[in-house]
Amino acid sequence: MIVDNHNRPITYLRLAVTDRCNLRCFYCMPEEGIRYLPKQQLLTYEEMERLVRVLARLGVSKVRITGGEPFVRSGLMAFMHRLAEVPGLTDLSMTTNGVLTAPHVTALAALGVKSVNLSIDTLDRERFRQITRRDELPAVLHTLDALLAAGIQTKLNAVVMDGQNTQDIIPLAELTRQLPVDVRFIEEMPFNGEGSHYPVLHWTHRRIVDHLLNHFPDLQRLPDSPFSTASTYQIPGHQGTIGVIAAFSRTFCGTCNRIRLTAQGTLKTCLYDNGVLDARALLRSGATDDELTAAFLQAFSHRPANGFEAESRRDTVTESMSTIGG
């Protein structure tokens, strides 16, 4: 197992397979003027697989496929089949918006996908259309039904946005009464292609928890799993759980075990850094696996202590979450 310069193990890779998405969530990207990468600038599946194999030999045991939206890239399932065979990987997961996912759920379960994070910020169809700029809530709910029927662990990710969907916090939390899901409320971050929407973030993790307690006074704090980004809660008698993720407040950096590879092959050892290694350039210049390993180890040895340090090393944040990998 490899550790960084702060003695944190690195065991979890979030791998973006595309920067494209079929939704236009305003907190993730601008409505227009998105400059998608030309195909030749994206990592090929073969390049991704090679990087995953190198990282697995270093101790990465979990890979989460992200985007953009993973299912807008053709050939995804064949690629995931190859990843499932990489020695050392014990956990293959996915984050998806659910619009195109339902037809693939049976295959995901057969492949051994352990969990799926499903992005859903509201249960109201009109608010969904306003937030995502697309009328796709029925397709997302169809995917949710399919995931539960297949027995895949399902986490529902909701970004809490002032003036947009705070009225949805309680209805989403109520889903845990009858469904074995983990509903996770996430602080909004400035990765929307435009910078932060607010001078001050009003809906912090603390306010979200207080809001939940006002409606569910018996809300119970649960022990967090190792390296968890979420503070976990449960309402007594409910099947599912509730998570609150301080993604902007960055309270969990001290136990962070995750790294990211963007679709163009940029390594990010912190969500808030500006990219610390061009793995695509190394691959296409003919680097050996040993040279790739050395480059990764060098990057891990200079990892920032937290997201605030990472952000201080760069100019203002202007990229969209779809280019980073959700």
Side-chain angles (χ1 to χ4, degrees), residues 21-27 69 96-100 118-144 156-159 161 164-165 167-168 172:
C21 189
N22 48 355
L23 298 182
R24 292 292 181 272
C25 302
F26 82 92
Y27 60 83
E69 166 51 39
T96 176
N97 63 31
V99 174
L100 301 173
L118 184 62
S119 300
I120 180 168
D121 302 308
T122 176
L123 297 174
D124 180 88
R125 186 167 180 173
E126 178 55 25
R127 278 197 296 278
F128 185 96
R129 187 193 63 76
Q130 292 173 358
I131 291 169
T132 68
R133 305 175 176 123
R134 299 290 186 272
D135 183 20
E136 295 286 3
L137 181 60
V140 178
L141 294 176
H142 181 44
T143 290
L144 172 58
L156 304 182
N157 286 350
V159 177
M161 297 160 285
Q164 298 291 330
N165 69 336
Q167 63 269 57
D168 291 288
L172 283 164

Side-chain angles (χ1 to χ4, degrees), residues 62-96:
K62 176 177 180 177
V63 172
R64 178 174 294 280
I65 302 299
T66 72
E69 166 51 39
F71 279 108
V72 302
R73 183 162 181 174
S74 62
L76 177 67
M77 290 305 300
F79 171 61
M80 292 186 67
H81 273 277
R82 295 201 299 274
L83 283 190
E85 297 173 355
V86 172
L89 288 190
T90 59
D91 189 332
L92 185 58
S93 305
M94 169 178 283
T95 295
T96 176

Side-chain angles (χ1 to χ4, degrees), residues 112 127 154-155 282 301:
R127 278 197 296 278
T154 304
K155 298 178 181 179
L282 284 174
S301 70

Side-chain angles (χ1 to χ4, degrees), residues 172-212:
L172 283 164
E174 279 285 359
L175 290 178
T176 67
R177 184 183 302 275
Q178 301 294 337
L179 301 178
V181 294
D182 179 16
V183 176
R184 307 196 309 173
F185 299 106
I186 306 170
E187 289 179 341
E188 186 180 353
M189 296 173 286
F191 300 107
N192 53 53
E194 302 169 325
S196 179
H197 283 135
Y198 321 109
V200 177
L201 182 69
H202 295 291
W203 281 88
T204 66
H205 62 288
R206 292 188 180 90
R207 185 175 179 184
I208 295 169
V209 172
D210 288 344
H211 184 69
L212 289 165

